Amino acid sequence: MELTNDGDTGRAGRVRRRRQSRVLSRYAGRPIRLIWRYVARRKLAHAVVLASVVAAVGCALGSQYGIRNLVDALPGGRAHPQHVIHAFAVLVALILADNLFWRIAGWVSARTFVAVTGDIRREMFDYLTVHAPTFFSDKQPGVLSSRISATANAVYVIENTVAWTALPPCLTVIGAIVMVGAVSIPMSLTLVGISAGLAFCLFLLARKGTSRHEAFAAQAASVDGELVDVIGNMGLVRAFCALVLERRRFDTLLAAEGDARRRSLLYLEKLRLLHAFAICILSAGVLGWTVWLWSVGRATTGDVVLIGSLGFSILHGSRDIAVAFVDLTQYVARLGEASETLLIPHAMPEPTRATPLEVRQASVDFENVTFAYPGRRPVLTGLNLHIGAGERVGLIGPSGAGKSTILALLQHFYEPDSGCVRISGQDIAHVTLQSLQGAISIVPQDASLFHRSLLDNIRYGCPDATEADVRRACEDAYCLDFINAMPEGLNTIAGDRGTKLSGGQRQRIAIARAILKDSPILLLDEATSALDTASETAIQAALERLMQHRTVIAIAHRLSTLQSFDRIVVLNRGRVVQQGTPAELAAVPGIYRDTLARQIRRTPAPRPELM
C-alpha cells in the first residue's frame, strides 16, 4: 500500500514548498528584497495606501496655497466678497479631502500590513520546520521563535514608518519645493541643495551605525532564548539550587543587552541632535530671506505667508525624513540579522523528484552505512543490517554503540556519510518526508507532549480519529483508567512537555498515540523505561498486540522486554558484533549474556509473603 494521501494537489504542494524554500534562502541578509517580496503580493492594497498618502499630502500642500489665496483676497474682500467666499470654499474642501484620504490610507493599511505579518510568520515557520535536526541542536528554541516574531514585527514597523513617518514628509518636501519655485526660483534651488545635503550626510552617518543596531538585535534574541531555556528547565534549576546562579547569569545578559541598546539609541540621538542644530540655523535663514523679499516688493503678503510656511515645511520635513530614516535603519538592521539566522539554506532539502514511499512489505535495510555527527568520530562504520517485514528486532549495546543513531537515520533525520537506508527496497533519501513519516510510529524514551489536551496529543498522528478511536487506543495502552480519573478526562491539558503527568503516564500516552497512528513500522526507544514493574507488565501486553503484523525495531536496556522478539542485534562501536534469538545469545559468551547476568543479579528475589 502507498502510505500517503498525496494526489496531484499533494505533489503540487511539495513542488511549491521546495521552490519556496529555495527562493527564501536567497533573502538571507537582504532585508529590502525580503520586504518587497511580501509587499508585491498585495500590490493593489499597497498602491491604494500609497495613492491615498500622496493625495492627502497634496491636499495638505494645497491647503497652504489656499491660505495664501485667502490672505491675498482679504484686502479687497469687502468690494468683491465672491473672491473671499471662493478662496474659503476651496480651502475647506482641501482640508476635508486631506482628512478623508488619510482615513482611507489608515483603513486599508490596517488590513494590509497585518496580513503581511501573517504571511511572514507563516512562511518563516514553514521554512524553519524543514531544517535538519543539526540546525535545531545548535540553537536555542527561544532564539528561533523570537527571530520569527522579530522578522514580522520589523516588517510591520518598517511599513508603518514608511507610510506615516517617512513618505509624507518626503512628499511634502518635494511638493513644497515645487510651490516655492513658483514664487522664488533661487530660494527653491537653495532649499533643494540644503535638503539633499542634509539627507546625504545623515545617510552616511546612519550606515555607520548599522553594526550597533545589529549587535542590539542579536543580544535581544539571546535574552529571549535564555528565558525560554531556563523556564523550560525550571525543575532542573530548583533541583540543583541554581536560582541565584541563573538570576546572576540573566542579570549579566540583561546588562549586555542594555549596553547594546544604549549604544544603538545614543547613536540615533546624535544624528537627531546634529539635524536639529542645522534646522535651527536654516529656519532663521529662510524666514529672513522671505521678509527681505517682501521688503523689496518682490513678494505679496500672501507670498510671505506661503513661502514662510512652505520653507518651514521643507526644513521640518527634512527633519522628519531624517528621523524616520534613522529609525528605519535600525529596524532594517534587525530584519537583516533575523533573516540571516532563519533563512540559511536547508542542509537536507527534499529531492526535487522525490516520490511517495510505497510500503508493501515493511522491510528495512542498512547497506554499508557509515555515519558521524559533525565534528565527531564515526558512530556507524560499514553497518549492514537487514530486518525482514514483520520481524521484531531488538538493539542492545553499550552507550555510543549507535542504537539511537540507527533510529534517527531510519527516520531520515540525518544523511549517511556513505551507504544507504532502504524501506521496502526504496532508498529513503529519494522519498518524500511526509510519506516516510507516515510509515513510521515511534514511542520515544522521553515522551514529549504538547501543552494541549490529552485528546489532541493522542491523535496527533491521526487527527481525523474519533474520540471512540482514541478511547480504544487508550484502553489498549492501559491509560484509560487514569485519564477517566482526571476531572476533565481527555480534555485535560498535559502541560508544557507533559509536566502535569508522571513519567509513566506520559509514556503510556505516547504508546496510545503510536497505537492510534497504526503505521507498518514501529520504533520503540526505551518505551517502558519510565514504568514500574507492574505497569511494564501491563504495557508489554499492549505492545504485544501493537507489534502484531508490524516491523518492530526496539532499543531496550531491560532485556526482559526483548524476550519475545525474533532477533536481538548486539552493537558495539558502530558494528554488529552479535545477533540471534534471545535464547541463542544467552548461550554464548558476549555482551548480551554479560548484560543478562548483571540484570539477573540486580533483580531482587521475591519475598515469601508475596509468593
Side-chain angles (χ1 to χ4, degrees):
M1 62 176 174
E2 182 180 324
L3 288 171
T4 178
N5 295 324
D6 294 342
D8 291 338
T9 302
R11 286 192 291 273
R14 291 197 303 274
V15 171
R16 178 185 58 79
R17 286 192 294 271
R18 284 194 293 267
R19 186 184 300 116
Q20 175 180 297
S21 295
R22 289 195 298 270
V23 170
L24 277 177
S25 63
R26 300 171 188 168
Y27 293 99
R30 297 179 176 181
I32 302 301
R33 290 185 59 191
L34 183 64
I35 294 171
W36 178 247
R37 169 183 172 81
Y38 296 103
V39 169
R41 286 187 180 179
R42 291 177 167 79
K43 293 179 181 177
L44 179 60
H46 283 90
V48 170
V49 174
L50 175 61
S52 298
V53 171
V54 170
V57 171
C59 290
L61 288 171
S63 298
Q64 297 185 45
Y65 198 81
I67 293 174
R68 178 256 190 192
N69 289 339
L70 181 61
V71 170
D72 284 343
L74 288 176
R78 293 183 179 89
H80 305 283
Q82 66 274 14
H83 296 314
V84 176
I85 294 172
H86 179 267
F88 176 78
V90 170
L91 179 59
V92 170
L94 288 171
I95 293 173
L96 290 175
D98 177 13
N99 285 278
L100 175 62
F101 283 121
W102 279 122
R103 298 290 63 77
I104 292 174
W107 183 267
V108 176
S109 67
R111 295 174 177 270
T112 306
F113 296 171
V114 171
V116 167
T117 61
D119 291 343
I120 294 172
R121 289 175 188 267
R122 190 177 302 108
E123 284 198 349
M124 292 296 168
F125 175 76
D126 289 346
Y127 189 89
L128 184 68
T129 56
V130 184
H131 275 298
T134 50
F135 176 84
F136 297 98
S137 63
D138 294 336
K139 295 174 178 63
Q140 294 174 310
V143 171
L144 297 177
S145 63
S146 69
R147 275 174 166 80
I148 291 179
S149 297
T151 301
N153 292 338
V155 172
Y156 181 78
V157 172
I158 288 169
E159 284 205 298
N160 275 281
T161 301
V162 169
W164 313 123
T165 310
L167 184 60
C170 184
L171 295 173
T172 298
V173 168
I174 295 173
I177 288 174
V178 172
M179 293 176 68
V180 167
V183 177
S184 173
I185 298 276
M187 183 180 292
S188 176
L189 294 176
T190 301
L191 290 173
V192 169
I194 292 172
S195 298
L198 277 176
F200 181 72
C201 291
L202 288 170
F203 172 77
L204 294 179
L205 292 173
R207 286 188 62 182
K208 291 183 179 180
T210 300
S211 60
R212 293 175 173 84
H213 310 321
E214 290 178 343
F216 164 57
Q219 287 290 346
S222 297
V223 171
D224 291 339
E226 190 70 18
L227 274 173
V228 173
D229 192 33
V230 172
I231 293 171
N233 291 282
M234 189 54 68
L236 181 65
V237 173
R238 291 184 179 276
F240 284 86
C241 303
L243 284 172
V244 175
L245 176 64
E246 291 299 335
R247 287 168 182 163
R248 290 174 181 169
R249 177 183 173 86
F250 189 63
D251 286 344
T252 302
L253 289 173
L254 284 180
E257 184 204 23
D259 288 342
R261 173 173 283 187
R262 277 190 293 273
R263 285 194 293 270
S264 175
L265 294 177
L266 288 175
Y267 190 83
L268 298 181
E269 286 303 318
K270 290 178 182 177
L271 295 184
R272 292 178 180 134
L273 179 63
L274 175 64
H275 187 269
F277 180 73
I279 287 297
C280 289
I281 296 176
L282 293 172
S283 296
V286 169
L287 183 59
W289 193 343
T290 304
V291 172
W292 177 78
L293 288 173
W294 170 81
S295 67
V296 296
R298 293 170 58 184
T300 67
T301 304
D303 288 337
V304 172
V305 173
L306 176 64
I307 293 176
S309 175
L310 292 176
F312 283 119
S313 295
I314 292 170
L315 295 175
H316 288 294
S318 67
R319 178 197 61 192
D320 294 339
I321 293 172
V323 171
F325 182 78
V326 169
D327 290 340
L328 284 172
T329 301
Q330 187 178 36
Y331 283 102
V332 168
R334 292 184 188 179
L335 178 59
E337 192 275 337
S339 65
E340 279 188 337
T341 300
L342 296 173
L343 298 181
I344 64 173
H346 291 141
M348 292 173 55
E350 189 174 88
T352 304
R353 297 185 179 180
T355 58
L357 176 66
E358 296 182 6
V359 182
R360 295 184 176 86
Q361 297 292 325
S363 62
V364 175
D365 290 280
F366 285 77
E367 298 179 356
N368 198 30
V369 171
T370 297
F371 174 76
Y373 294 100
R376 295 163 59 182
R377 64 175 181 79
V379 181
L380 301 177
T381 306
L383 176 70
N384 288 287
L385 178 62
H386 171 74
I387 300 171
E391 187 178 12
R392 292 182 287 181
V393 174
L395 304 179
I396 73 164
S399 297
K403 305 183 295 297
S404 297
T405 300
I406 287 176
L407 300 192
L409 290 175
L410 183 58
Q411 297 172 83
H412 204 208
F413 290 167
Y414 305 94
E415 288 276 11
D417 297 331
S418 63
C420 68
V421 181
R422 299 183 185 274
I423 294 178
S424 293
Q426 301 167 75
D427 189 342
I428 64 173
H430 300 142
V431 303
T432 61
L433 188 59
Q434 182 177 356
S435 65
L436 174 64
Q437 293 168 341
I440 299 173
S441 292
I442 183 168
V443 180
Q445 179 179 6
D446 183 15
S448 182
L449 303 179
F450 289 100
H451 185 69
R452 303 171 190 173
S453 70
L454 296 180
L455 181 65
D456 289 338
N457 274 286
I458 293 171
R459 63 182 178 191
Y460 191 68
C462 188
D464 296 329
T466 65
E467 186 171 335
D469 294 332
V470 173
R471 288 189 175 276
R472 280 193 294 271
C474 292
E475 188 173 0
D476 290 341
Y478 291 88
C479 60
L480 191 58
D481 289 342
F482 79 75
I483 290 176
N484 287 335
M486 295 179 175
E488 298 182 55
L490 283 170
N491 293 319
T492 301
I493 300 300
D496 183 39
R497 301 179 187 176
T499 52
K500 291 186 178 181
L501 305 178
S502 68
Q505 289 173 335
R506 287 199 301 272
Q507 207 78 349
R508 287 187 241 183
I509 294 294
I511 292 172
R513 182 168 56 190
I515 291 172
L516 190 64
K517 188 179 179 185
D518 194 24
S519 300
I521 298 175
L522 177 65
L523 307 182
L524 305 175
D525 187 0
E526 294 289 343
T528 60
S529 62
L531 304 177
D532 54 40
T533 304
S535 298
E536 180 182 0
T537 303
I539 292 300
Q540 282 298 331
L543 290 176
E544 190 66 32
R545 291 195 296 273
L546 173 62
M547 290 187 292
Q548 295 297 323
H549 310 298
R550 287 177 173 79
T551 302
V552 181
I553 305 175
I555 297 174
H557 289 114
R558 294 182 185 177
L559 299 185
S560 59
T561 63
L562 303 177
Q563 295 309 301
S564 63
F565 276 47
D566 302 312
R567 179 162 48 115
I568 293 178
V569 175
V570 183
L571 298 167
N572 192 21
R573 296 183 179 179
R575 296 180 182 273
V576 176
V577 295
Q578 284 183 302
Q579 57 180 314
T581 66
E584 290 172 346
L585 293 180
V588 298
I591 293 175
Y592 179 85
R593 192 169 76 172
D594 294 343
T595 304
L596 183 62
R598 285 195 299 270
Q599 292 186 2
I600 291 175
R601 286 196 299 269
R602 286 199 298 265
T603 303
R607 294 165 57 184
E609 62 270 24
L610 298 178
M611 295 179 64

